[in-house]
């Protein structure tokens, strides 16, 4: 069953009923001001950091779900309704939510009034702008009372939801001509404030939540709205809000628009106040002036559309597969932007208060983003590398606002360092910008410790070279990519974090997965060294790669597939010797991508993967699932069978298998797997899958689960980046390389060809892939040997690949 449809031309997903199985959300903003917005207009905003600069309040785990957020009420006679259905919950005569690229539109109809509410965050302005257009479709005049309300968060989202003995005393606002300013803590150490403003005269306002809502009431039925009044309340502590009341009269057939602006501004310390205690509002006023007319709003919408048009034109495909095209051309790349911006910080499942930017997460996110805005990718690589320690190990996460490593979780995830190599090489292959390797980059953000970025890569590789276990495989540390395979943890204390508990440092537990990564990425590092004239070091690294490869062949191969790890007692994990967890997905993906054991092992590993782990929605993480908790395995065995790391389809590493299929030249296998969990392909199973059909989720419950097929944790997952790599570089086969673009399509038999446009190093490549006997590549009509299109300085380049 579907709850909407893709409008490919408008690049929108159109939701046609408000009661989607879960809130289906969108992300607005690209630089500083970000908003999450659901299909019923819920969600919240923050500036840069969802924990430290939360602008509006959001109640996770709320009942009913997704209540609050942007609250609009239209009072028409006795009826009160909301254009996006919530919060009023009055049945509508018409409802549509159109989630587009960086904006969402809510079209609600009731009793002859049509409302269109467009919400967007303009480029380079720290503001969410909401345009509400009301049209009287009847033939009599109507007078409507409109309310718009937002609830402020007291900045630090953790304190905001915990420290009430203080919170209920500190809330402060200022009100001035249709603008409500939120200035909690501004009088002391904060230099920032927020505001909510309307571009037409208001008939009333409230800033104290409990006054506006009234006792025993929620956002569905505020007393102010019921009484069609406002109390002019001024918040003093408790819960400050911004609520406006606007009377609007519409002649028959008439339409009018109102702009609401939710903004954030910072002042220098010496310019904080215009008079004692009063905010210097110059910045806000400038921002508001730039968005005070409909024409300004429309221009910002056009700019946003052009921005996305430009970005998405960097890679696009036209094929016989409509669903493939919409994933590649719009939604997968859009999600790559969102994961780049958010890492794993803020979604409807990631509270924004815990993890900030993940080291391994952000490095992998870059793989699907680097072609979109290389300059931002460069800056991110430096930020990430700056939380690394001098020995090559690294903090696992950092806060986006401070860019400082997060000491609560610390380090010890031994796969982390190699991901830095992966994304830096990907960046250079995309851009040809070797100068990034010279960029002075500190360790642990300490001034004076700067070394060229190359040195960070060197230490990353060295870290794994120097931390090996009894079988010559890399030590796993706290965990590798699989955060839940905690082989040195041995926790029996309820509530103890598996991520940080490490009470049995065996110095023995090893990871075959990291070994695979080492072969792949230390190998890439060696190639990079050769290119910058460090042949001796390259040779040494290659020797280490060979040693590691041999260790995998000797101890990591189980006969039919790759093993996963060795535990603290040197026992294999992910082996036929185990009663449960006999086979895991990760080493099959990584070791085959790394080419370990060649195509012969690759094909065997893939056959076993499909046989034991394959389901309708993809490849499950392991089988059989752990049916009981084992302290020597950790969190992985804490999940009920079929969920999360214990045997769901953990979407992130499915594309590794797709790429592995490509590695062994199996286009049918690659595409078959790609389709099983690509959101657009499973749109019509939305009632089972439940999360948004336009973005990947982290997991889809596996066969052993009670809710097989149900997805969880939408949006912030490395699946976005890896799926884009799998489809663009694997299946479609367009691979950026140092000396040019490689073209190696690996299409399924059912596809006769396709047409790809790729902007690469300033040249627009127009690539036609077709089937034929005369196999090979022609560039601007001339045949060339091999699969590499050499770099050119022409603006366009015509390529034909016959497969
Ligand atoms: C989850 C993992 C996640 C980890 C991060 C665990 O509970 O299962 O998917 O990576 O938390 O802290
Ligand atoms: C989600 C985490 O963000 C990621 O870092 C990890 O690799 C996966 N879970 C698997 O545990």
């Amino acid at each position: 069953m579907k709850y909407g449809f893709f409008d490919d031309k408008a690049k929108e997903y159109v939701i046609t009923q408000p009661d989607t199985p879960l809130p289906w959300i969108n992300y607005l903003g690209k630089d500083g001001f970000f908003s999450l917005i659901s299909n019923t207009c819920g969600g919240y905003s923050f500036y840069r950091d969802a924990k430290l600069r939360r602008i509006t309040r959001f109640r996770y785990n709320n009942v009913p779900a997704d209540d609050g957020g942007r609250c609009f009420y239209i009072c028409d006679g006795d009826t009160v309704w909301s254009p996006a259905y919530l919060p009023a919950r009055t049945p509508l005569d018409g409802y549509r939510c159109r989630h587009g690229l960086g904006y969402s539109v809510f079209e609600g109809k009731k009793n002859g009034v049509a409302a269109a509410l467009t919400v967007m965050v303009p480029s380079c302005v720290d503001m969410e702008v909401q345009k509400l257009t009301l049209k009287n479709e009847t033939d009599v005049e109507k007078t409507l009372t409109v309310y718009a309300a937002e609830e402020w968060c007291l900045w630090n989202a953790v304190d905001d939801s915990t420290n009430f003995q203080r919170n209920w005393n500190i809330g402060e606002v200022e009100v001035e001509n249709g603008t409500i300013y939120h200035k909690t803590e501004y009088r002391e150490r904060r230099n920032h404030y927020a505001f909510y403003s309307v571009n037409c005269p208001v008939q009333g306002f409230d800033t104290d939540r409990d006054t506006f809502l009234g006792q025993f009431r929620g956002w569905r039925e505020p007393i102010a709205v019921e009484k069609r009044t406002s109390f002019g309340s001024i918040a003093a502590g408790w819960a400050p809000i911004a609520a406006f009341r606007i009377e609007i009269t519409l002649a028959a057939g008439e339409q009018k628009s109102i702009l609401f602006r939710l903004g954030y501004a910072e002042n220098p310390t010496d310019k904080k106040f215009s008079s004692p205690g009063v905010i210097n509002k110059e910045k806000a006023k400038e921002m508001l002036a730039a968005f005070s007319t409909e024409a300004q709003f429309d221009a910002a919408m056009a700019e946003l559309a052009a921005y996305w048009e430009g970005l998405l034109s960097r890679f696009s495909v036209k094929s016989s597969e409509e669903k493939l095209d919409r994933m590649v051309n719009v939604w997968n790349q859009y999600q790559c932007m969102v994961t780049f911006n958010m890492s794993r910080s803020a979604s409807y499942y990631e509270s924004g208060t815990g993890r900030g930017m993940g080291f391994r997460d952000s490095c992998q996110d870059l793989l699907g983003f680097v072609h979109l805005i290389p300059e931002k990718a460069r800056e991110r690589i430096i930020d990430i590398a700056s939380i690394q320690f001098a020995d090559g190990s690294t903090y696992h996460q950092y806060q986006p606002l401070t860019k400082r490593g997060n000491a609560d979780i610390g380090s010890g995830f031994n796969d982390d360092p190699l991901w830095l190599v992966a994304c830096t090489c990907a960046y250079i292959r995309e851009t040809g910008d070797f100068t990034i390797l010279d960029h002075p980059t500190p360790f642990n953000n300490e001034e004076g410790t700067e070394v060229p970025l190359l040195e960070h890569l060197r230490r990353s590789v060295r870290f794994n070279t120097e931390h090996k276990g009894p079988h010559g495989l890399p030590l796993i540390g706290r965990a590798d990519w699989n955060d839940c395979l905690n082989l040195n943890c041995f926790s029996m204390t309820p509530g103890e974090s598996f991520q940080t508990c490490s009470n049995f440092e065996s110095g023995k537990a090893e990871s075959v997965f990291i070994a695979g990564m080492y072969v792949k990425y230390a190998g890439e590092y060696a190639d990079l060294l050769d290119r910058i004239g460090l042949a001796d070091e390259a040779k040494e690294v290659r020797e280490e790669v060979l040693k590691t490869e041999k260790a995998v062949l000797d101890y990591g191969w189980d006969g039919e597939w790759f093993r996963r790890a060795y535990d603290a007692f040197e026992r294999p994990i992910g082996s036929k010797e185990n009663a449960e967890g006999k086979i895991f997905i990760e080493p099959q993906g990584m070791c085959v991508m790394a080419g370990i054991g060649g195509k012969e092992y690759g094909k065997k590993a893939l056959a076993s993967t499909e046989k034991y782990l394959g389901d309708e929605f993809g490849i499950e993480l392991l089988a059989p699932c752990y049916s009981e908790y084992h302290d020597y395995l950790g969190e992985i065995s804490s999940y009920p069978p079929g969920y999360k790391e214990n045997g769901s389809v953990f979407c992130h590493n499915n594309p590794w298998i797709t790429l592995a299929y490509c590695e062994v030249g199996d286009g049918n296998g690659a595409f078959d797997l790609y389709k099983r969990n690509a959101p657009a392909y499973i749109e019509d199973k939305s009632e089972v899958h439940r999360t948004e059909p336009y973005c990947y989720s982290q997991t889809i419950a596996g066969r052993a689960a009670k809710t097989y097929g149900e997805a969880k944790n939408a949006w912030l997952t490395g699946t976005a980046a890896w799926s884009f790599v799998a489809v663009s570089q694997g299946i479609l086969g367009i691979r950026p390389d140092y000396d040019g673009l490689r073209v190696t399509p690996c299409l399924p038999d059912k596809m006769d060809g396709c047409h790809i446009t790729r902007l690469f190093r300033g040249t627009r490549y127009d690539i036609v892939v077709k089937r034929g006997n005369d196999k090979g590549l022609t560039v601007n009509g001339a045949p060339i040997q091999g699969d590499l299109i050499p770099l050119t300085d022409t603006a366009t380049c015509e390529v034909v690949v016959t497969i």
Side-chain angles (χ1 to χ4, degrees):
M1 173 184 172
K2 302 202 288 181
Y3 296 80
F5 59 90
F6 286 93
D7 180 341
D8 293 325
K9 203 156 170 283
K11 301 190 180 70
E12 291 175 348
Y13 191 81
V14 185
I15 301 166
T16 47
Q17 58 191 86
D19 54 338
T20 47
L22 291 162
W24 283 3
I25 74 164
N26 194 10
Y27 283 84
L28 317 179
K30 66 186 183 62
D31 298 309
F33 194 106
F34 290 102
S35 294
L36 280 65
I37 186 161
S38 71
N39 62 308
T40 50
C41 214
Y44 59 97
S45 303
F46 59 92
Y47 176 73
R48 283 193 197 283
D49 191 313
K51 176 181 175 184
L52 301 176
R53 289 284 187 283
R54 187 75 66 101
I55 295 169
T56 51
R57 193 172 267 163
F58 183 76
R59 289 177 184 77
Y60 293 94
N61 203 2
N62 201 4
V63 275
D66 202 27
D67 206 18
R70 302 157 190 81
C71 298
F72 287 89
Y73 309 86
I74 296 166
C75 310
D76 178 7
D78 291 341
T79 310
V80 179
W81 58 283
S82 299
Y85 182 67
L86 288 187
R89 279 191 269 163
T90 302
L92 299 175
D93 301 337
Y95 161 92
R96 293 203 326 170
C97 162
R98 289 163 32 210
H99 282 320
L101 307 183
Y103 68 91
S104 292
V105 184
F106 305 87
E107 296 166 342
K109 280 191 183 198
K110 187 75 187 171
N111 298 345
V113 175
L117 173 66
T118 306
V119 186
M120 58 97 65
V121 172
S123 284
C124 312
V125 187
D126 294 323
M127 203 153 72
E128 176 184 299
V129 190
Q130 309 157 344
K131 177 170 111 167
L132 177 66
T133 302
L134 294 169
K135 181 164 191 207
N136 178 2
E137 294 182 335
T138 70
D139 46 19
V140 291
E141 183 182 278
K142 278 192 183 252
T143 295
L144 308 171
T145 306
V146 176
Y147 290 83
E150 303 262 359
E151 182 173 2
W152 301 115
C153 180
L154 308 183
W155 305 118
N156 180 322
V158 175
D159 287 354
D160 184 71
S161 57
T162 48
N163 196 6
F164 302 105
Q165 58 82 27
R166 172 174 163 83
N167 295 348
W168 294 149
N169 297 285
I170 59 178
E172 285 188 287
V173 296
E174 283 179 34
V175 183
E176 198 182 82
N177 299 335
T179 305
I180 294 170
Y181 293 86
H182 176 224
K183 62 168 187 176
T184 299
E185 291 184 339
Y186 187 80
R187 59 191 293 281
E188 30 125 345
R189 293 159 296 171
R190 291 190 185 274
N191 285 6
H192 46 264
Y193 60 93
F195 53 90
Y196 193 46
S197 178
V198 55
N199 75 335
C200 68
V202 302
Q203 275 65 46
F205 69 86
D206 274 291
T207 70
D208 177 63
R209 185 192 66 199
D210 295 348
T211 307
F212 179 72
L213 295 182
Q215 204 177 8
F216 305 126
R217 287 163 183 260
W219 290 104
R220 184 182 189 174
E221 67 284 279
I223 189 75
V225 176
E226 188 178 300
K227 292 196 179 313
R228 311 284 193 271
T229 189
S230 307
F231 303 104
S233 56
I234 297 290
W238 299 114
I241 61 165
F244 293 114
R245 178 170 55 92
I246 299 147
E247 305 280 336
I248 177 167
T249 299
L250 295 171
E254 194 188 6
Q255 104 174 14
K256 279 185 188 162
S257 294
I258 311 172
L259 293 181
F260 298 89
R261 287 96 17 121
L262 174 72
Y264 168 93
E266 290 177 356
N267 279 336
T269 308
D270 59 346
K271 301 217 170 78
K272 273 175 74 169
F273 300 102
S274 60
S275 60
V278 177
I279 310 175
N280 166 6
K281 306 185 180 70
E282 257 171 61
K283 276 219 179 117
K285 285 181 181 164
E286 265 170 42
M287 289 162 70
L288 290 171
F291 283 88
S292 55
T293 67
E294 239 188 297
Q296 288 167 326
F297 179 87
D298 294 347
M301 284 294 284
E303 191 186 328
L304 189 62
Y307 172 77
W308 275 105
E309 201 61 50
L311 287 182
L312 295 177
S313 71
R314 291 169 163 249
F315 193 110
S316 68
V317 62
K318 183 138 188 45
S319 75
S320 51
E321 290 278 320
E322 182 184 56
K323 294 173 183 168
L324 172 78
D325 293 2
R326 67 169 62 117
M327 284 311 310
V328 172
N329 298 343
V330 184
W331 297 97
N332 195 171
Q333 295 195 68
Y334 187 57
Q335 191 176 358
C336 286
M337 172 70 89
V338 171
T339 54
F340 170 81
N341 284 334
M342 300 289 138
S343 194
R344 304 298 168 269
S345 66
S347 74
Y348 264 39
Y349 311 92
E350 301 283 5
S351 67
T353 61
R355 299 194 273 169
M357 313 298 281
F359 190 99
R360 79 156 82 87
D361 296 321
S362 288
C363 286
Q364 290 172 87
D365 293 344
L366 281 164
L367 304 178
F369 174 80
V370 70
H371 69 292
L372 287 173
I373 315 182
E375 311 74 55
K376 280 198 178 189
R378 188 185 210 271
E379 190 187 329
R380 177 63 54 80
I381 290 170
I382 303 300
D383 285 349
I384 296 171
S386 304
I387 63 164
Q388 196 173 22
F389 298 112
D391 71 350
S393 69
T394 174
Y395 274 122
H396 193 49
Q397 296 158 2
Y398 70 95
Q399 274 314 120
L401 193 74
T402 62
K403 298 191 175 173
R404 295 288 154 147
N406 176 354
D408 295 344
I409 177 116
S411 67
F413 296 83
N414 286 357
D415 62 318
D416 273 336
L418 284 172
W419 292 116
L420 181 67
V421 177
C423 66
T424 308
C425 291
Y427 168 80
I428 301 175
R429 282 193 301 257
E430 177 69 36
T431 58
D433 172 20
F434 283 88
T435 68
I436 191 174
L437 295 173
D438 305 328
H439 191 95
T441 312
F443 291 111
N444 191 17
N445 279 294
E446 280 160 19
E447 245 186 69
T449 62
E450 291 81 2
V451 292
L453 179 69
L454 177 68
E455 186 59 30
H456 283 258
L457 304 196
R458 180 172 291 129
R459 296 192 192 191
S460 293
V461 171
R462 195 185 294 157
F463 181 82
N464 285 126
T465 313
E466 289 176 354
H467 291 81
K468 296 235 175 100
H471 301 92
L473 297 163
L475 289 174
I476 200 166
R478 277 190 192 164
D480 61 20
W481 173 88
N482 191 329
D483 274 336
C484 299
L485 192 59
N486 314 120
L487 303 181
N488 297 308
C489 158
F490 293 82
S491 176
M492 291 305 285
T493 308
E496 185 168 57
S497 165
F498 288 104
Q499 302 295 307
T500 49
C501 148
S502 200
N503 56 20
F504 188 88
E505 293 286 1
S506 66
K508 286 187 179 165
E510 297 166 292
S511 164
V512 177
F513 172 77
I514 302 183
M517 279 188 79
Y518 189 88
V519 173
K520 185 165 166 52
Y521 296 119
E524 290 192 11
Y525 174 63
D527 294 346
L528 185 70
L529 291 173
D530 272 336
R531 290 183 173 268
I532 54 174
L534 297 175
D536 290 347
E537 189 186 345
K539 195 163 155 265
E540 280 165 31
V541 173
R542 284 212 181 87
E543 277 160 19
E544 289 299 332
V545 167
L546 279 178
K547 271 194 223 161
T548 309
E549 191 165 0
K550 184 162 179 327
V552 175
L553 293 172
D554 290 346
Y555 302 107
W557 180 251
D558 200 55
E560 299 291 322
W561 58 79
F562 290 98
R563 293 180 170 178
R564 177 63 179 84
Y566 281 89
D567 72 13
F569 310 103
E570 300 178 45
R571 299 173 303 196
I573 292 178
S575 157
K576 56 183 174 301
E577 291 172 25
N578 302 115
E580 294 176 338
K582 286 175 187 290
I583 173 170
F584 281 62
I585 189 175
E586 304 98 306
Q588 320 314 325
M590 194 49 79
C591 294
V592 180
M593 284 196 288
I596 301 178
K599 288 196 179 171
E600 185 199 330
Y601 276 35
K603 285 184 180 167
K604 252 193 200 171
L606 286 168
S608 303
T609 303
E610 191 54 67
K611 179 167 167 198
Y612 298 107
L613 303 175
D615 78 22
E616 182 189 340
F617 297 96
I619 304 292
E620 294 166 358
L621 194 144
L622 61 85
C625 303
Y626 295 111
S627 55
E628 38 182 303
Y629 175 64
H630 300 287
D631 60 356
Y632 65 92
L633 293 174
E635 186 168 0
I636 195 161
S637 59
S638 76
Y639 286 115
Y643 291 101
K644 288 281 271 183
E645 278 85 346
N646 191 14
S648 72
V649 172
F650 209 99
C651 300
H652 183 134
N653 39 34
N654 273 239
W656 298 345
I657 302 296
T658 306
L659 284 161
Y661 274 117
C662 296
E663 183 69 29
V664 302
D666 183 349
N668 289 336
F671 195 54
D672 172 68
L673 175 56
Y674 173 79
K675 286 190 302 185
R676 273 186 263 170
N677 50 39
Y681 278 93
I682 51 178
E683 183 195 8
D684 54 2
K685 297 180 196 160
S686 284
E687 81 285 8
V688 178
H689 185 255
R690 303 189 77 223
T691 52
E692 295 89 328
Y694 45 89
C695 70
Y696 285 95
S697 296
Q698 184 192 52
T699 65
I700 304 176
R703 287 163 298 175
K706 298 213 164 56
T707 56
Y708 171 50
E710 181 188 43
K712 290 204 180 111
N713 199 0
W715 281 102
L716 301 188
T717 160
T719 317
W722 275 108
S723 295
F724 190 69
V725 172
V727 72
S728 62
Q729 299 188 27
I731 296 171
L732 300 175
I734 311 298
R735 300 175 187 240
D737 210 340
Y738 297 106
D739 301 321
L741 204 56
R742 278 188 201 281
V743 186
T744 55
C746 187
L747 299 183
D749 294 340
K750 68 178 270 205
M751 270 174 77
D752 281 337
C754 60
H755 189 156
I756 297 156
T757 320
R758 174 65 152 100
L759 185 68
F760 178 66
R761 311 252 190 114
T763 302
R764 188 164 290 282
Y765 293 86
D766 193 73
I767 305 165
V768 174
V769 182
K770 61 183 180 66
R771 293 197 187 272
N773 294 330
D774 209 6
K775 308 216 182 298
L777 196 65
T778 67
V779 176
N780 292 327
I784 57 164
Q785 290 299 310
D787 57 18
L788 182 75
I789 314 170
L791 291 172
T792 152
D793 48 16
T794 57
T796 59
C797 183
E798 305 286 326
V799 180
V800 178
V801 202
T802 312
I803 53 169

